[in-house]
Amino acid sequence: LPHGGLTNRSGLKFVGEAKNSAKKVRLITFQFSTEQAYALEFGDFTMRVVRDGGYVLESGKSITGITNANPGVITSASHGFFDGDEVVISDVGGMSELNGRTVKVANVTANTFTLNDLFGNAIDTTLYAPFTSGGSVSRIYAIATPYGENDLAALVYVQSADVVYITHPSYAIRKLARNAETNW
């Protein structure tokens, strides 16, 4: 400031790519207490939850193998993922180039899937260090909503404790309740 001292203001931090960055999204704040604050990312018929500088993740699934191939293939028994799911990879031994990356799941089988970047391009792991052990893969928590991208600007909301009431001129009033971090 010209007369000395400091000031601060709240703002936003980039935590990741929107589920579909080609379409509009809207962030809605959800704050239960000073320790329990979230940003709700409403997109085209979907909602994701942000907390503590990152997307809220479902429980991790163990990785038992990753191929050096184009595209790379992850083995994770009974993972339960679907094509297009966004997942975060962590704690991989050897092939550390994948640690901390958000990728899209493709070519799903019961125990394997291939890796795509967020734009849908296959991830070539042929030049990555060989997989040695461990790691986990966690899906970004998301739920379906009735709101398309053109509905988002008209959403009106009010929060009471762990419940957000959402209204829109074209839809019935909705109640969004937080039961747990991955149960909305």
Side-chain angles (χ1 to χ4, degrees):
L1 299 174
H3 54 294
L6 291 173
T7 186
N8 69 4
R9 63 179 177 81
S10 60
L12 299 175
K13 173 185 172 186
F14 180 77
V15 297
E17 190 79 21
K19 177 123 178 112
N20 183 346
S21 59
K23 297 191 176 205
K24 296 174 188 172
V25 296
R26 178 158 179 205
L27 293 176
I28 292 177
T29 59
F30 181 97
Q31 185 163 354
F32 182 70
S33 69
T34 57
E35 287 125 21
Q36 297 178 37
Y38 301 85
L40 307 179
E41 176 195 282
F42 282 84
D44 193 36
F45 301 105
T46 188
M47 184 200 82
R48 301 193 305 179
V49 181
V50 178
R51 181 172 186 197
D52 295 334
Y55 285 105
V56 170
L57 304 175
E58 296 177 0
S59 297
K61 306 291 183 176
S62 295
I63 295 173
T64 57
I66 307 174
T67 63
N68 286 95
N70 186 14
V73 178
I74 288 185
T75 302
S76 177
S78 304
H79 53 72
F81 300 143
F82 298 98
D83 284 349
D85 281 347
E86 291 182 26
V87 297
V88 176
I89 300 170
S90 59
D91 301 322
V92 172
M95 198 177 285
S96 61
E97 296 91 342
L98 292 175
N99 285 332
R101 287 192 63 183
T102 301
V103 299
K104 282 192 178 180
V105 170
N107 303 310
V108 171
T109 70
N111 299 311
T112 65
F113 56 89
T114 60
L115 303 175
N116 285 352
D117 64 20
L118 296 178
F119 302 104
N121 304 310
I123 296 176
D124 182 354
T125 60
T126 55
L127 299 178
Y128 290 7
F131 172 81
T132 56
S133 65
S136 68
V137 58
S138 304
R139 180 175 23 213
I140 294 176
Y141 178 71
I143 62 170
T145 73
Y147 311 113
E149 74 170 313
N150 294 325
D151 299 325
L152 300 178
L155 295 180
V156 177
Y157 62 95
V158 64
Q159 180 182 343
S160 175
D162 267 354
V163 178
V164 175
Y165 296 90
I166 303 171
T167 63
H168 186 281
S170 302
Y171 299 92
I173 295 174
R174 304 282 177 163
K175 182 171 94 171
L176 177 65
R178 178 191 71 147
N179 301 310
E181 199 154 270
T182 56
N183 182 1
W184 289 71

